[in-house]
Amino acid sequence: MKGPLRVGNASGFYGDRFDAMREMLTGGPLDVLTGDYLAELTMLILGRDRLKDPARGYAKTFLRQLEECLGLAKERGVKIVANAGGLNPGGLADGVRELADRLGVAVRVAHVEGDDLGSRFPDALTANAYLGGAGIAGCLHAGADVVVTGRVTDAALVSGPAAAHFGWGEGDRDQLAGAVVAGHILECGTQATGGNYAFFAGRSARELLRPGFPVAEIHADGSSVITKHDGTGGFVDVGTVTAQLLYETSGARYAGPDVTARLDTVALTQEGPDRVRVAGVRGEAPPPTLKVGLNRLGGFRNEVVFVLTGLDVEAKARLVRAQVEDAMGRAKSRPQEVRWELVRADRPDAPSEEGASALLRLVVRDPQPDPVGRALSGAAIELALGSYPGFHVTAPPGKGAPYGVFEAAYVERGTVDHVAVLPGGERQPVEGVGGTLVLEEPDEPPLPPPLPDGPTRRAPLGLVAGARSGDKGGDANVGVWVRTDDAWRWLAHELTVERFRELLPEAGELVVVRHLLPNLRALNFVVVGILGAGVASQARFDPQAKGLGEWLRARHLDIPAALLEANESTEVLP
C-alpha cells in the first residue's frame, strides 16, 4: 500500500494570489501542486484573447509564476498540474518547455487536449467539453513533471494525480469519488481554509488576514484529510469544509466524467487542529454524456447610475426615468433591452451626503453597439442641468461594451477525443469508461424529527446558519448548513422552498429546487434562471450570486430561543 498523496492548491481562479505557488512549495511537504485557473467567465476572456492572437488563449500568469518556481518544484520533487492551458494547452506546454530551457531546468512537460469542440458549435466563441482526470493520470504515468490541460473538471486536477499514484481504474469508483470530493474542496483555494466563510466573526486577525492554501492528504481507500501548511493563516474545520462542499453543487449526486460522487455519503470529522477527515464517499458510474460549456457574444451593454440625494427620492427617480425614456424613444434606435433598478441605500437625517443618497441604476443591452453607446450617453448626460435637483451620476456612460452569454450543452462521451500528449510527444488516446448511469436524483431522505414547540425570537437566520452561494451558468445555488443536530431538526422543517422564496423575493417567480444533505446538516437550493444568461451577461447587481447566501442569512424569521442561546454561548463551535 502506498502512503498518502499530498496534493496542494495554489490557485482558485485566474487572478488569485500570485505568490501562492512559491508559498506552497516552500511551506511544507507536497507531492503534487495544482492550480485552477478556469471558470465560465475565464473561458470567455480567453476566447477574446484568442481572437486578437490565435497563439494565446491560455493563462499568462501561470508562466510568470513558473519562472520563479519551476526550479524549486523540480528540486523538491513536486509535480505541477494546472488547467491554465485554457483554449490552447499545447501552446502553453510549448511555453513551459521554452521557459525550462531558458532557466536550465530539466523537466518533462505534457498536456491534455480534446476538450475543444468549436467545430461542432461554430456559432460559439468557445465550446469546451469538461474532461475527467484520466488524461492527467496518463501524462503522470509517462513521467511528466508538469501537466497542463484545457477544460477539465476542477476536481480532475486532484483525482487524476490520485488515480496515477494509487493505480486506480474505472472500477475503483468509491476511491475515485473520494478524490473527486477532495478535489472539489481544494479547487477554490482559500475558500476551504476560512476565506469567504460565514462564521468568520470571532476569529483572530492572524487567521483571517492571509489564509493559507489548502492541502489534501489522499489515502489509498479514497479518504482524505484536508489541512494546510503549518504556520500559514486561516483555519480548517468541519464548517469551512462543509461550506466548500456545498459551493456550486446541487443535490446528492455530484456528476463528473470519471465517476458520480454521492455527496450524501460524505462523513466529516475534526481529526485535530486544522485537520478534517473526509471519508465514506461512495461512487457510481458517470453519466453517458459530457457537459460542454459554450460562450457566445450576446451583444453590447452599457449602464449609468444616477445618484438621488435627500428628499423625494421616488419622485426624482420617476422624473429622470421619464426623461431618459423619452430621449431614447426619440433616438434613431432604442436599445432592445432597458432595465431600471432603484436601490434605497439612503436613510433619513443622514450625517453624510453618501448616507442620504439612493442609486438608480439603468442597464441597456442591444445586439448592436450604437443604441447602447451614443444614444444612452446623450440621453443621460444632456439632462445634467434640466432634471431633478442634485442631478449627478457615479460615472459618465462610455460607448458600451460587448457582453457574453453562457450555455451548457451535452454530447455523448464516446464522441469526444480525449488525448494525453506525453512528454515525448506521443499522443495517447484516453479510453472511455465502460459503464455509465443516467443521472437521476435519488429519493429524498426522511426529515429529522422536528424540534418540540417552544419560545421563539425574531432574528436573522445567519445567527444559527451558515451559507455559501455561487453561479452555474444562469442558475445560482445557495448552500445552507448548521452546526448542531438540534439546529438541523429546525432548519430542515423551517427552510422550505416556500420560505426561501419569501425570504428572497427575487426568487419568488422562479423555479427553486431544494436538496437535503442530512449528513452535512445542510440544504442546497438551486434558483433556476436568476442570473439570466450567466455571469458575463451581468443580468443582476451580483452577477455571480456571491452574496445571495449572505442576503439570506441577513433575513429575519422566528427562530427557537434555545438555538439562539446556544449560539450566543460560544463564538466558535468545533
Side-chain angles (χ1 to χ4, degrees):
M1 294 289 288
K2 289 190 174 183
L5 180 73
R6 296 163 298 190
V7 183
N9 171 281
S11 176
F13 67 100
Y14 190 12
D16 210 343
R17 232 159 63 202
F18 184 87
D19 54 3
M21 185 179 288
R22 174 173 287 278
E23 288 177 10
M24 291 300 289
L25 289 170
T26 60
L30 284 178
D31 300 304
V32 179
L33 183 59
T34 66
D36 181 10
Y37 293 79
L38 302 184
E40 293 166 1
L41 180 60
T42 313
M43 300 301 280
L44 177 69
I45 293 169
L46 295 178
R48 294 177 63 181
D49 284 350
R50 188 173 59 177
L51 286 178
K52 299 173 186 175
D53 182 356
R56 304 310 284 268
Y58 55 78
K60 299 182 284 293
T61 305
F62 178 71
L63 277 178
R64 298 202 303 273
Q65 290 173 301
L66 279 188
E67 190 163 8
E68 294 184 6
C69 298
L70 188 60
L72 188 60
K74 177 67 174 177
E75 174 188 315
R76 298 190 171 217
V78 178
K79 308 283 188 180
I80 294 179
V81 179
N83 60 13
L87 303 176
N88 188 6
L92 179 57
D94 289 340
V96 175
R97 293 186 189 95
E98 292 170 7
L99 175 65
D101 290 343
R102 178 162 57 84
L103 297 176
V105 180
V107 294
R108 293 165 60 81
V109 182
H111 72 275
V112 177
E113 61 183 41
D115 60 297
D116 191 340
L117 302 185
S119 61
R120 299 197 208 178
F121 300 91
D123 61 335
L125 177 63
T126 69
N128 297 81
Y130 287 74
L131 303 179
I136 295 170
C139 292
L140 293 171
H141 272 306
D145 300 300
V146 179
V147 181
V148 295
T149 76
R151 179 74 276 188
V152 297
T153 64
D154 301 337
L157 299 174
V158 173
S159 65
H165 180 75
F166 294 112
W168 297 333
E170 65 172 274
D172 299 308
R173 287 182 180 141
D174 291 347
Q175 293 91 328
L176 285 169
V180 164
V181 167
H184 178 65
I185 295 168
L186 259 60
E187 70 183 53
C188 289
T190 54
Q191 279 197 169
T193 58
N196 299 353
Y197 183 53
F199 296 117
F200 74 96
R203 292 285 182 172
S204 69
R206 185 194 68 79
E207 290 175 311
L208 300 174
L209 187 62
R210 191 177 172 85
F213 279 70
V215 175
E217 299 169 356
I218 303 175
H219 295 263
D221 63 356
S223 67
S224 62
V225 173
I226 307 301
T227 183
K228 63 186 184 67
H229 286 331
D230 291 341
T232 59
F235 53 97
V236 180
D237 64 18
V238 169
T240 66
V241 174
T242 298
Q244 182 55 28
L245 272 175
L246 296 174
Y247 182 65
E248 294 182 345
T249 60
S250 54
R253 286 190 164 106
Y254 184 57
D258 300 317
V259 69
T260 292
R262 290 292 296 257
L263 298 184
D264 55 349
T265 63
V266 179
L268 303 179
T269 308
Q270 192 78 40
E271 191 177 67
D274 295 323
R275 293 181 64 83
V276 173
R277 176 166 293 280
V278 183
V281 185
R282 302 297 303 272
E284 299 173 342
T289 57
L290 294 179
K291 179 180 175 180
V292 182
L294 306 176
N295 278 291
R296 298 184 173 89
L297 292 178
F300 297 83
R301 74 181 296 282
N302 206 346
E303 71 174 79
V304 59
V305 179
F306 300 91
V307 183
L308 315 174
T309 305
L311 305 178
D312 304 319
V313 165
E314 300 283 348
K316 289 171 180 174
R318 288 194 299 271
L319 172 59
V320 74
R321 177 170 177 170
Q323 290 176 313
V324 173
E325 292 278 3
D326 176 67
M328 288 192 301
R330 288 184 283 103
K332 289 183 179 179
S333 53
R334 173 187 166 86
Q336 190 176 85
E337 180 184 344
V338 178
R339 180 173 177 177
W340 295 88
E341 182 179 16
L342 177 61
V343 180
R344 295 299 304 267
D346 57 306
R347 57 186 183 273
D349 196 21
S352 68
E353 181 179 341
E354 188 172 4
S357 299
L359 301 176
L360 179 64
R361 182 171 178 246
L362 167 62
V363 178
V364 295
R365 293 184 177 83
D366 197 89
Q368 301 301 320
D370 287 346
V372 304
R374 189 181 306 277
L376 176 67
S377 59
I381 301 306
E382 290 172 5
L383 294 173
L385 302 180
S387 187
Y388 61 86
F391 178 99
H392 66 286
V393 297
T394 56
K399 60 182 180 180
Y403 70 90
V405 171
F406 178 84
E407 177 187 351
Y410 294 86
V411 298
E412 294 295 323
R413 62 173 55 243
T415 67
V416 176
D417 297 323
H418 187 178
V419 177
V421 184
L422 306 182
E426 305 91 341
R427 298 178 61 81
Q428 177 178 289
V430 176
E431 295 183 6
V433 298
T436 61
L437 184 66
V438 175
L439 192 66
E440 295 179 349
E441 282 300 319
D443 293 338
E444 187 170 284
L447 292 172
L451 275 184
D453 291 338
T456 63
R457 294 205 323 250
R458 195 79 176 168
L461 173 64
L463 293 185
V464 297
R468 179 167 287 166
S469 55
D471 63 312
K472 276 297 180 186
D475 303 340
N477 99 284
V478 184
V480 185
W481 80 97
V482 289
R483 298 175 289 185
T484 67
D485 290 338
D486 280 349
W488 169 240
R489 291 172 62 186
W490 172 77
L491 183 75
H493 290 272
E494 175 66 23
L495 196 54
T496 62
V497 168
E498 292 73 21
R499 181 55 55 86
F500 182 93
R501 286 198 180 107
E502 176 187 319
L503 296 174
L504 300 187
E506 284 187 39
E509 302 300 320
L510 300 175
V511 173
V512 177
V513 182
R514 185 178 95 149
H515 302 278
L516 275 77
L517 296 168
N519 59 321
L520 299 177
R521 300 192 193 102
L523 304 171
N524 219 343
F525 294 88
V526 177
V527 188
V528 178
I530 192 171
L531 304 179
V535 54
S537 71
Q538 299 184 58
R540 68 189 296 272
F541 147 77
D542 175 15
Q544 290 182 283
K546 297 293 189 181
L548 198 59
E550 287 302 295
W551 179 26
L552 179 66
R553 294 182 70 233
R555 298 288 284 166
H556 289 221
L557 67 170
D558 295 326
I559 299 175
L563 298 183
L564 293 170
E565 291 163 4
N567 178 75
E568 292 163 358
S569 68
T570 178
E571 288 187 347
V572 180
L573 295 176

